[in-house]
Amino acid sequence: MKALIPAAGLGSRFLPATKAQPKEMLLVVDRPAIQYVVEEGLASAADEVVIINSREKKSIEEHFSPAPELVAMLRERGKDKYADAVEHAGSLNVSYVYQDEPLGLGHAIYCAHEKTADEPFYVLLGDVLVPDNKMLPRMQDVSDAHGGASVIAVMPVPADQVSRFGVIAGEAVADDVWKVSSLVEKPAVDEAPSNLAVFGRYLLSARVMELLAEGKPTVGGEIQLTDALDAVLREEEMYALVIDPADGFDTGTVESWLETNNVLFQRAAQQ
Ligand code: G1P
């Protein structure tokens, strides 16, 4: 089973910081943001993390490659703590596929279809960090309890923010689990079917990947993952795990990235 991390986006909201550096490589406390996401994927039931990269973002691949000369130099100088950190980053089991055109999240995910090979798969969006790595196992438990159904993480958001997200319709079947009946990408505020927004963690059936092969551009002129999820509901059940906003950290805007750095730095200092 694979964990897919789309990383081919332009990072426009962070320009000019992202002019010569991928957004995914921006520092969060002590490591690039994408390293948290890779570590989360590897802490789940996934055996490999697949980054869906753009060919211009080679520094992501350099970060996850071994650097034996740097490690040896650090050890000679007695800097074992840094040597260990560099070795760790280079040892994470990551592979790459490429999205050559920015046609949307659904298209990015489909670029990894040969990797997932008819198995369920996770999708982890890098705009959100889950440093305690607990969300994917909880989603896996919900899936196991419902015959291997797809499960998406959702978060309650203020009514005036629904148009930034995918939003679900459905009904609660437990305190923190909904059975999903439909999804809509970035609805107008007065057309949203609930205030539960898709949060950036997905456990999806192999059928979703098949439906993405037929994806057509819709909202924003992009091929949307949300449309394939809505389509699969005609054939399969899907559940949503309602998460507490405190379970994840947004890094999608400069403001939220700064706030996430603050909170995680304070936590690290207390340990
Ligand atoms: C994407 C998804 C959306 C989801 C959001 C979560 O949108 O299309 O359904 O709610 O991520 O961050 P984007 O933020 O890429 O516009």
Side-chain angles (χ1 to χ4, degrees):
M1 186 170 173
K2 308 296 178 205
L4 311 182
I5 303 178
L10 290 174
S12 323
R13 280 190 293 245
F14 285 81
L15 285 167
T18 48
K19 180 167 177 277
Q21 177 186 217
K23 179 182 77 173
E24 293 78 7
M25 292 300 292
L26 294 178
L27 184 71
V28 176
V29 184
D30 63 352
R31 68 198 98 153
I34 195 167
Q35 187 174 330
Y36 291 85
V37 191
V38 167
E39 288 170 344
E40 184 192 349
L42 291 173
S44 74
D47 56 3
E48 186 183 40
V49 164
V50 181
I51 294 180
I52 301 153
N53 203 5
S54 105
R55 290 182 203 274
E56 278 77 54
K57 293 188 174 180
K58 288 294 174 204
S59 61
I60 293 179
E61 296 176 38
E62 280 164 25
H63 182 72
F64 293 112
S65 299
E69 286 167 14
L70 176 58
V71 171
M73 188 186 78
L74 290 165
R75 295 217 187 279
E76 263 167 38
R77 295 181 183 185
K79 298 186 174 179
D80 285 311
K81 185 180 122 192
Y82 294 116
D84 290 346
V86 171
E87 240 171 8
H88 170 67
S91 71
L92 298 169
N93 189 13
V94 182
S95 68
Y96 303 90
V97 298
Y98 296 95
Q99 184 189 23
D100 288 322
E101 292 171 285
L103 299 180
L105 178 61
H107 175 260
I109 300 305
Y110 187 68
C111 291
H113 69 278
E114 287 179 8
K115 285 278 187 179
T116 57
D118 298 331
E119 284 187 349
F121 55 98
Y122 295 110
V123 174
L124 290 74
L125 302 188
D127 277 355
V128 200
L129 306 184
V130 183
D132 69 8
N133 299 335
K134 287 187 178 154
M135 199 173 296
L136 297 180
R138 284 179 67 201
M139 293 166 66
Q140 187 72 57
D141 288 346
V142 175
S143 177
D144 292 346
H146 294 280
S150 295
V151 178
I152 56 179
V154 296
M155 175 180 68
V157 296
D160 62 347
Q161 286 184 30
V162 285
S163 55
R164 284 176 47 204
F165 298 99
V167 176
I168 65 161
E171 55 173 3
V173 293
D175 277 351
D176 57 356
V177 180
W178 278 45
K179 187 163 189 280
V180 180
S181 59
S182 69
L183 294 101
V184 52
E185 181 69 13
K186 299 189 174 66
V189 170
D190 52 2
E191 283 168 18
S194 74
N195 71 333
L196 293 176
V198 179
F199 171 82
R201 293 293 179 274
Y202 309 75
L203 166 53
L204 301 177
S205 74
R207 181 68 185 136
V208 174
M209 190 61 91
E210 287 175 12
L211 289 168
L212 282 171
E214 301 151 22
K216 299 272 182 307
T218 57
V219 178
E222 298 191 339
I223 299 173
Q224 298 288 350
L225 177 58
T226 301
D227 291 338
L229 301 184
D230 190 52
V232 85
L233 281 168
R234 277 176 231 126
E235 305 169 32
E236 298 179 353
E237 291 186 350
M238 184 183 302
Y239 291 84
L241 176 67
V242 184
I243 57 146
D244 187 312
D247 289 343
F249 294 87
D250 187 11
T251 60
T253 62
V254 172
E255 194 186 7
S256 65
W257 174 79
L258 286 169
E259 175 65 15
T260 293
N261 265 285
N262 267 330
V263 175
L264 293 182
F265 182 76
Q266 302 293 344
R267 273 197 197 177
Q270 281 161 10
Q271 278 169 5

mmCIF file of all heavy atoms in Angstrom, residues 13 105 125 127-128 164-167 184-186 197-200 202 222 224-226, ligand 1:
data_model
loop_
_atom_site.group_PDB
_atom_site.id
_atom_site.type_symbol
_atom_site.label_atom_id
_atom_site.label_comp_id
_atom_site.label_asym_id
_atom_site.label_seq_id
_atom_site.Cartn_x
_atom_site.Cartn_y
_atom_site.Cartn_z
ATOM 1 N N ARG A 13 1.255 31.314 -3.170
ATOM 2 C CA ARG A 13 0.930 32.139 -1.993
ATOM 3 C C ARG A 13 2.168 32.514 -1.200
ATOM 4 O O ARG A 13 2.104 33.384 -0.340
ATOM 5 C CB ARG A 13 -0.056 31.391 -1.086
ATOM 6 C CG ARG A 13 -1.490 31.472 -1.583
ATOM 7 C CD ARG A 13 -2.450 30.946 -0.531
ATOM 8 N NE ARG A 13 -2.267 29.528 -0.332
ATOM 9 C CZ ARG A 13 -3.174 28.597 -0.618
ATOM 10 N NH1 ARG A 13 -4.353 28.952 -1.091
ATOM 11 N NH2 ARG A 13 -2.938 27.333 -0.418
ATOM 12 N N LEU A 105 -5.523 18.552 -8.645
ATOM 13 C CA LEU A 105 -5.186 17.512 -7.668
ATOM 14 C C LEU A 105 -5.563 16.114 -8.169
ATOM 15 O O LEU A 105 -4.809 15.152 -7.980
ATOM 16 C CB LEU A 105 -5.902 17.831 -6.336
ATOM 17 C CG LEU A 105 -5.712 16.834 -5.207
ATOM 18 C CD1 LEU A 105 -4.235 16.706 -4.820
ATOM 19 C CD2 LEU A 105 -6.542 17.254 -3.990
ATOM 20 N N LEU A 125 -2.022 15.576 1.782
ATOM 21 C CA LEU A 125 -1.728 16.893 1.216
ATOM 22 C C LEU A 125 -0.762 17.626 2.149
ATOM 23 O O LEU A 125 -0.958 17.672 3.374
ATOM 24 C CB LEU A 125 -3.017 17.701 1.040
ATOM 25 C CG LEU A 125 -4.093 17.053 0.154
ATOM 26 C CD1 LEU A 125 -5.230 18.046 -0.094
ATOM 27 C CD2 LEU A 125 -3.525 16.550 -1.153
ATOM 28 N N ASP A 127 -0.133 20.675 2.714
ATOM 29 C CA ASP A 127 -0.504 21.928 3.376
ATOM 30 C C ASP A 127 -0.864 21.721 4.837
ATOM 31 O O ASP A 127 -1.038 22.683 5.574
ATOM 32 C CB ASP A 127 -1.722 22.563 2.688
ATOM 33 C CG ASP A 127 -1.299 23.361 1.482
ATOM 34 O OD1 ASP A 127 -0.086 23.497 1.250
ATOM 35 O OD2 ASP A 127 -2.195 23.852 0.762
ATOM 36 N N VAL A 128 -1.039 20.465 5.223
ATOM 37 C CA VAL A 128 -1.421 20.187 6.596
ATOM 38 C C VAL A 128 -0.418 19.210 7.200
ATOM 39 O O VAL A 128 -0.052 18.228 6.574
ATOM 40 C CB VAL A 128 -2.812 19.518 6.672
ATOM 41 C CG1 VAL A 128 -3.395 19.691 8.048
ATOM 42 C CG2 VAL A 128 -3.751 20.052 5.634
ATOM 43 N N ARG A 164 -13.508 27.515 0.566
ATOM 44 C CA ARG A 164 -12.076 27.220 0.347
ATOM 45 C C ARG A 164 -11.803 25.723 0.233
ATOM 46 O O ARG A 164 -10.678 25.305 -0.052
ATOM 47 C CB ARG A 164 -11.255 27.745 1.539
ATOM 48 C CG ARG A 164 -11.058 29.238 1.562
ATOM 49 C CD ARG A 164 -10.311 29.656 2.821
ATOM 50 N NE ARG A 164 -9.141 28.824 3.081
ATOM 51 C CZ ARG A 164 -8.602 28.656 4.288
ATOM 52 N NH1 ARG A 164 -9.113 29.237 5.342
ATOM 53 N NH2 ARG A 164 -7.532 27.904 4.435
ATOM 54 N N PHE A 165 -12.822 24.882 0.511
ATOM 55 C CA PHE A 165 -12.570 23.444 0.707
ATOM 56 C C PHE A 165 -13.535 22.580 -0.104
ATOM 57 O O PHE A 165 -14.538 23.058 -0.635
ATOM 58 C CB PHE A 165 -12.778 23.084 2.194
ATOM 59 C CG PHE A 165 -11.852 23.790 3.133
ATOM 60 C CD1 PHE A 165 -12.279 24.916 3.827
ATOM 61 C CD2 PHE A 165 -10.560 23.341 3.331
ATOM 62 C CE1 PHE A 165 -11.432 25.577 4.700
ATOM 63 C CE2 PHE A 165 -9.703 23.990 4.205
ATOM 64 C CZ PHE A 165 -10.133 25.106 4.897
ATOM 65 N N GLY A 166 -13.233 21.255 -0.126
ATOM 66 C CA GLY A 166 -14.243 20.265 -0.462
ATOM 67 C C GLY A 166 -15.138 20.074 0.759
ATOM 68 O O GLY A 166 -14.650 20.111 1.889
ATOM 69 N N VAL A 167 -16.443 19.899 0.549
ATOM 70 C CA VAL A 167 -17.386 19.820 1.674
ATOM 71 C C VAL A 167 -18.256 18.565 1.492
ATOM 72 O O VAL A 167 -18.645 18.233 0.361
ATOM 73 C CB VAL A 167 -18.265 21.087 1.746
ATOM 74 C CG1 VAL A 167 -19.308 20.990 2.847
ATOM 75 C CG2 VAL A 167 -17.380 22.317 1.967
ATOM 76 N N VAL A 184 -18.890 18.107 -2.544
ATOM 77 C CA VAL A 184 -18.834 19.201 -3.513
ATOM 78 C C VAL A 184 -17.571 20.016 -3.263
ATOM 79 O O VAL A 184 -17.204 20.284 -2.110
ATOM 80 C CB VAL A 184 -20.134 20.053 -3.476
ATOM 81 C CG1 VAL A 184 -20.459 20.493 -2.072
ATOM 82 C CG2 VAL A 184 -20.046 21.234 -4.408
ATOM 83 N N GLU A 185 -16.864 20.356 -4.347
ATOM 84 C CA GLU A 185 -15.615 21.102 -4.225
ATOM 85 C C GLU A 185 -15.903 22.600 -4.187
ATOM 86 O O GLU A 185 -16.590 23.134 -5.067
ATOM 87 C CB GLU A 185 -14.687 20.759 -5.400
ATOM 88 C CG GLU A 185 -13.341 21.462 -5.383
ATOM 89 C CD GLU A 185 -12.406 21.003 -4.250
ATOM 90 O OE1 GLU A 185 -12.673 19.975 -3.615
ATOM 91 O OE2 GLU A 185 -11.415 21.702 -4.001
ATOM 92 N N LYS A 186 -15.404 23.256 -3.172
ATOM 93 C CA LYS A 186 -15.467 24.713 -3.028
ATOM 94 C C LYS A 186 -16.856 25.285 -3.332
ATOM 95 O O LYS A 186 -17.035 26.098 -4.254
ATOM 96 C CB LYS A 186 -14.401 25.380 -3.897
ATOM 97 C CG LYS A 186 -12.983 24.943 -3.497
ATOM 98 C CD LYS A 186 -11.888 25.718 -4.177
ATOM 99 C CE LYS A 186 -10.512 25.366 -3.645
ATOM 100 N NZ LYS A 186 -10.029 24.023 -3.899
ATOM 101 N N ALA A 197 -15.375 20.189 6.281
ATOM 102 C CA ALA A 197 -14.487 20.421 5.140
ATOM 103 C C ALA A 197 -13.454 19.294 5.041
ATOM 104 O O ALA A 197 -12.903 18.855 6.052
ATOM 105 C CB ALA A 197 -13.760 21.747 5.318
ATOM 106 N N VAL A 198 -13.209 18.850 3.806
ATOM 107 C CA VAL A 198 -12.176 17.830 3.561
ATOM 108 C C VAL A 198 -10.825 18.421 3.946
ATOM 109 O O VAL A 198 -10.467 19.531 3.543
ATOM 110 C CB VAL A 198 -12.175 17.405 2.078
ATOM 111 C CG1 VAL A 198 -11.089 16.365 1.832
ATOM 112 C CG2 VAL A 198 -13.543 16.865 1.677
ATOM 113 N N PHE A 199 -10.078 17.655 4.756
ATOM 114 C CA PHE A 199 -8.953 18.234 5.494
ATOM 115 C C PHE A 199 -7.571 17.930 4.911
ATOM 116 O O PHE A 199 -6.583 18.520 5.304
ATOM 117 C CB PHE A 199 -9.056 17.712 6.931
ATOM 118 C CG PHE A 199 -7.882 18.030 7.795
ATOM 119 C CD1 PHE A 199 -7.765 19.273 8.405
ATOM 120 C CD2 PHE A 199 -6.878 17.101 7.989
ATOM 121 C CE1 PHE A 199 -6.679 19.560 9.204
ATOM 122 C CE2 PHE A 199 -5.783 17.396 8.784
ATOM 123 C CZ PHE A 199 -5.692 18.620 9.394
ATOM 124 N N GLY A 200 -7.460 16.999 3.960
ATOM 125 C CA GLY A 200 -6.126 16.756 3.397
ATOM 126 C C GLY A 200 -5.533 15.403 3.735
ATOM 127 O O GLY A 200 -4.341 15.171 3.496
ATOM 128 N N TYR A 202 -6.620 11.266 3.116
ATOM 129 C CA TYR A 202 -7.583 10.387 2.456
ATOM 130 C C TYR A 202 -7.063 8.954 2.489
ATOM 131 O O TYR A 202 -5.861 8.727 2.295
ATOM 132 C CB TYR A 202 -7.735 10.754 0.971
ATOM 133 C CG TYR A 202 -8.004 12.208 0.617
ATOM 134 C CD1 TYR A 202 -6.985 13.166 0.689
ATOM 135 C CD2 TYR A 202 -9.253 12.613 0.152
ATOM 136 C CE1 TYR A 202 -7.217 14.478 0.316
ATOM 137 C CE2 TYR A 202 -9.491 13.945 -0.229
ATOM 138 C CZ TYR A 202 -8.470 14.872 -0.134
ATOM 139 O OH TYR A 202 -8.691 16.184 -0.507
ATOM 140 N N GLU A 222 -9.824 22.715 -13.140
ATOM 141 C CA GLU A 222 -8.909 21.640 -12.759
ATOM 142 C C GLU A 222 -9.642 20.300 -12.624
ATOM 143 O O GLU A 222 -10.852 20.267 -12.340
ATOM 144 C CB GLU A 222 -8.256 21.978 -11.416
ATOM 145 C CG GLU A 222 -7.416 23.240 -11.489
ATOM 146 C CD GLU A 222 -6.548 23.432 -10.259
ATOM 147 O OE1 GLU A 222 -6.855 22.840 -9.205
ATOM 148 O OE2 GLU A 222 -5.558 24.178 -10.374
ATOM 149 N N GLN A 224 -10.556 17.539 -10.445
ATOM 150 C CA GLN A 224 -10.655 17.553 -8.984
ATOM 151 C C GLN A 224 -10.741 16.138 -8.415
ATOM 152 O O GLN A 224 -11.523 15.313 -8.897
ATOM 153 C CB GLN A 224 -11.904 18.345 -8.549
ATOM 154 C CG GLN A 224 -11.890 19.806 -8.951
ATOM 155 C CD GLN A 224 -10.892 20.630 -8.139
ATOM 156 O OE1 GLN A 224 -10.332 20.151 -7.142
ATOM 157 N NE2 GLN A 224 -10.666 21.866 -8.554
ATOM 158 N N LEU A 225 -9.974 15.880 -7.368
ATOM 159 C CA LEU A 225 -10.111 14.612 -6.638
ATOM 160 C C LEU A 225 -11.520 14.494 -6.060
ATOM 161 O O LEU A 225 -12.125 13.423 -6.057
ATOM 162 C CB LEU A 225 -9.056 14.564 -5.519
ATOM 163 C CG LEU A 225 -9.085 13.350 -4.594
ATOM 164 C CD1 LEU A 225 -8.916 12.047 -5.365
ATOM 165 C CD2 LEU A 225 -7.999 13.467 -3.522
ATOM 166 N N THR A 226 -12.056 15.617 -5.576
ATOM 167 C CA THR A 226 -13.387 15.600 -4.962
ATOM 168 C C THR A 226 -14.439 15.054 -5.926
ATOM 169 O O THR A 226 -15.365 14.350 -5.508
ATOM 170 C CB THR A 226 -13.758 17.034 -4.504
ATOM 171 O OG1 THR A 226 -12.762 17.468 -3.582
ATOM 172 C CG2 THR A 226 -15.117 17.083 -3.837
HETATM 173 C C1 G1P B 1 -7.700 20.666 -1.840
HETATM 174 C C2 G1P B 1 -8.948 19.815 -2.107
HETATM 175 C C3 G1P B 1 -10.089 20.242 -1.171
HETATM 176 C C4 G1P B 1 -9.618 20.144 0.266
HETATM 177 C C5 G1P B 1 -8.338 20.978 0.475
HETATM 178 C C6 G1P B 1 -7.796 20.727 1.881
HETATM 179 O O1 G1P B 1 -7.954 22.001 -2.228
HETATM 180 O O2 G1P B 1 -9.333 19.972 -3.473
HETATM 181 O O3 G1P B 1 -11.200 19.415 -1.376
HETATM 182 O O4 G1P B 1 -10.645 20.593 1.139
HETATM 183 O O5 G1P B 1 -7.325 20.599 -0.465
HETATM 184 O O6 G1P B 1 -6.678 21.529 2.133
HETATM 185 P P1 G1P B 1 -6.788 23.099 -2.454
HETATM 186 O O7 G1P B 1 -6.396 23.570 -1.073
HETATM 187 O O8 G1P B 1 -5.684 22.377 -3.150
HETATM 188 O O9 G1P B 1 -7.417 24.178 -3.268
#
